[in-house]
Amino acid sequence: MMGHTGRISMDSKNWLVTSGLCSAIERKLVVGQTLFSQGQQSACLFEVVSGRIRLACVDSEGREAVLGFALEGDTIGEASLFSPIYHCNAVVTAHAVIRIYQKSTLLAEFARNPKAAQAFMVRLSRRIIDLRARLERQGIHSARDRVRHYLAANASMHQRTVVLPGTVKDLAAELGLTHEALYRTLSDMEADGEIARLKGKIRLEGSPV
Amino acid sequence: MMGHTGRISMDSKNWLVTSGLCSAIERKLVVGQTLFSQGQQSACLFEVVSGRIRLACVDSEGREAVLGFALEGDTIGEASLFSPIYHCNAVVTAHAVIRIYQKSTLLAEFARNPKAAQAFMVRLSRRIIDLRARLERQGIHSARDRVRHYLAANASMHQRTVVLPGTVKDLAAELGLTHEALYRTLSDMEADGEIARLKGKIRLEGSPV
DNA sequence: CGAGTGATTGACTTAGATCAATGACCGTGG
DNA sequence: CCACGGTCATTGATCTAAGTCAATCACTCG
């Protein structure tokens, strides 16, 4: 799941690599580099070892929709395992290391090893749930409520702090807001004591309802 | 995929039922009936044999976000196969017949039969791609462009006609617009000769760009 | 040290949400 | 069989929040 909630990558232990079952190549990527582009033939699936990769779609009119950011432990291009092409653009936004898996290798492994297949299904399911949450969020019209929804979804239960995946501008894109609107909304929320802004983080202050 | 495009259900032949591998129960549902609710324990996965089922989430503030409508051949609750609860509400909006699968039965089948597992992964992947398309659409600010995106995504390449899954009001909810805004947008598009409205359908008229 | 980008705030515009009203339709029960 | 209650479909008027344009300051990376 690309939801910035570190806990997700928790069970990456179930994932293939660690069991050394698949031949995976590691590669280093620099900021700005394109991992793959929308429409391109898909031959591999990637796992983020470190860094940050931005996923975005471009529609026919040229508008760009940010799907999210993949962080450590996330996989990219899962859906393209069963599709001949990639459906979005993946661009590196923070120096990254990735692991590369050949589609054919993975598929063969899944056919042979039910455990691996199931682990992958779990990953797919989580991505679905994450996308649903995103969809729900985008349906909220108020910028403030949208930010609230994001914070609620990404604050771990105990720490009331959300680590921003990248710049505030990136977050704006992810929330489907203009950066100006987001800056203003954050300012207002801070002024109202609803949040506190730290360096690259946001802390939720007790809901004063 | 719940995208109303009939072609999706095309490969339901790959699905379990037809091979008679799983014990599936069929049940009839009437309009208004709730198949399952958000947060409820998930024990089953459902397949729509006929009818229409509306999927929607309710967030903490009570706002409802429509995730889509499941039609013939679609499965519901796939993501909950690996989650203890359902993540949305499923309400019948057109008299339906569904097939019910026990989660445990399916999981056992996947462990035993790689083909079934793979068929299911394909389903999950398609749902992901569908959700991404939805997300992309919700990111479009202009109501008209959003409608265009929807029509483009749901018109089969040859027939330039889109069958509306339910009422126009339902469609508005699915597009994240108020029904008034949608009515107006459709009127405008018709006035401009961009579309033609039939009974429960919309036909795309050649793009006059 | 200078260029490029992020962060922030202001002023203005606009598209879509809201509130409101009316006619068409549909199933239902007396 | 028809009157009635409900919901959909449609259109008008108004309001507002978010988009757009624009300017400034801060920061970081060669």
Side-chain angles (χ1 to χ4, degrees):
Chain A
M1 187 173 289
M2 42 180 54
H4 326 315
T5 43
R7 56 205 145 92
I8 299 305
S9 42
M10 177 172 81
D11 74 331
S12 56
K13 24 183 146 151
N14 296 334
W15 184 234
L16 287 174
V17 207
T18 45
S19 53
L21 287 169
C22 275
S23 54
I25 304 168
E26 288 208 1
R27 200 176 351 154
K28 271 195 70 170
L29 303 172
V30 300
V31 172
Q33 195 169 347
T34 294
L35 187 53
F36 56 77
S37 308
Q38 193 170 342
Q40 196 178 93
Q41 287 242 338
S42 65
C44 310
L45 178 145
F46 307 93
E47 180 185 358
V48 179
V49 176
S50 68
R52 188 173 67 242
I53 293 172
R54 168 193 156 108
L55 287 310
C57 290
V58 179
D59 69 19
S60 47
E61 275 89 28
R63 296 204 148 286
E64 190 182 53
V66 174
L67 292 175
F69 294 83
L71 303 176
E72 176 187 339
D74 291 330
T75 43
I76 311 183
E78 306 112 323
S80 293
L81 233 199
F82 303 99
S83 167
I85 57 168
Y86 293 113
H87 297 82
C88 56
N89 297 317
V91 178
V92 179
T93 56
H95 297 287
V97 174
I98 55 162
R99 256 180 224 126
I100 305 176
Y101 301 89
Q102 293 301 316
K103 278 168 62 168
S104 52
T105 312
L106 282 181
L107 289 172
E109 178 62 20
F110 294 157
R112 187 180 318 123
N113 176 2
K115 284 279 180 200
Q118 171 153 345
F120 192 68
M121 284 194 249
V122 169
R123 259 172 195 272
L124 291 173
S125 297
R126 268 214 284 267
R127 166 78 7 107
I128 289 174
I129 292 168
D130 176 59
L131 284 168
R132 288 222 261 244
R134 272 189 157 57
L135 203 50
E136 181 181 313
R137 188 184 306 141
Q138 297 286 52
I140 300 173
H141 293 298
S142 152
R144 192 155 181 167
D145 286 344
R146 211 180 288 184
V147 171
R148 287 201 185 106
H149 185 286
Y150 175 84
L151 294 175
N154 291 96
S156 56
M157 203 56 73
H158 312 292
Q159 319 156 36
R160 317 228 71 209
T161 299
V162 178
V163 179
L164 300 183
T167 68
V168 177
K169 224 174 159 184
D170 285 338
L171 178 61
E174 188 167 346
L175 292 180
L177 296 172
T178 58
H179 55 279
E180 297 100 317
L182 179 57
Y183 288 132
R184 284 190 248 270
T185 304
L186 290 177
S187 296
D188 292 349
M189 290 175 78
E190 187 164 34
D192 294 353
E194 190 171 343
I195 60 171
R197 302 188 58 184
L198 301 287
K199 180 79 179 174
K201 295 180 188 178
I202 290 177
R203 190 177 56 235
L204 292 166
E205 304 292 357
S207 40
V209 178
Chain B
M1 187 177 288
M2 44 180 51
H4 327 316
T5 43
R7 57 204 143 95
I8 300 304
S9 42
M10 179 172 80
D11 75 330
S12 57
K13 24 185 145 147
N14 296 334
W15 184 234
L16 287 173
V17 207
T18 44
S19 53
L21 287 169
C22 275
S23 55
I25 304 167
E26 288 208 359
R27 202 182 343 160
K28 269 196 71 171
L29 303 172
V30 300
V31 172
Q33 194 169 349
T34 294
L35 187 53
F36 56 78
S37 308
Q38 192 169 341
Q40 197 179 92
Q41 288 242 337
S42 64
C44 310
L45 178 145
F46 308 93
E47 181 186 359
V48 179
V49 177
S50 68
R52 188 174 65 241
I53 293 173
R54 169 193 157 109
L55 287 311
C57 290
V58 179
D59 69 19
S60 48
E61 275 89 28
R63 296 204 147 286
E64 189 183 53
V66 175
L67 291 176
F69 294 83
L71 303 176
E72 176 187 338
D74 291 329
T75 44
I76 311 183
E78 305 114 322
S80 293
L81 231 200
F82 302 98
S83 168
I85 57 169
Y86 292 113
H87 297 83
C88 57
N89 297 318
V91 178
V92 179
T93 57
H95 298 287
V97 175
I98 55 162
R99 256 181 223 125
I100 305 175
Y101 300 90
Q102 293 301 317
K103 277 168 63 168
S104 53
T105 312
L106 282 180
L107 290 172
E109 178 61 21
F110 294 157
R112 187 178 318 122
N113 177 2
K115 284 280 180 199
Q118 169 152 345
F120 192 68
M121 285 194 247
V122 170
R123 259 172 196 272
L124 291 175
S125 297
R126 268 214 284 265
R127 166 78 6 109
I128 289 174
I129 292 168
D130 176 58
L131 284 169
R132 287 223 261 246
R134 274 190 155 59
L135 203 49
E136 180 181 314
R137 189 184 305 142
Q138 296 286 51
I140 300 172
H141 292 299
S142 150
R144 191 155 182 169
D145 285 344
R146 211 180 286 187
V147 172
R148 287 200 185 107
H149 186 287
Y150 174 84
L151 294 175
N154 291 94
S156 56
M157 203 57 71
H158 312 293
Q159 317 158 37
R160 318 229 68 208
T161 300
V162 179
V163 179
L164 300 183
T167 68
V168 176
K169 225 174 160 183
D170 286 337
L171 178 60
E174 188 168 345
L175 292 180
L177 296 171
T178 57
H179 54 280
E180 297 99 318
L182 179 57
Y183 288 133
R184 283 189 249 270
T185 303
L186 290 177
S187 294
D188 292 349
M189 291 175 78
E190 187 164 34
D192 294 352
E194 191 170 343
I195 59 170
R197 303 189 56 184
L198 300 288
K199 180 79 179 173
K201 295 180 189 179
I202 291 178
R203 191 178 54 236
L204 291 166
E205 304 293 356
S207 42
V209 178

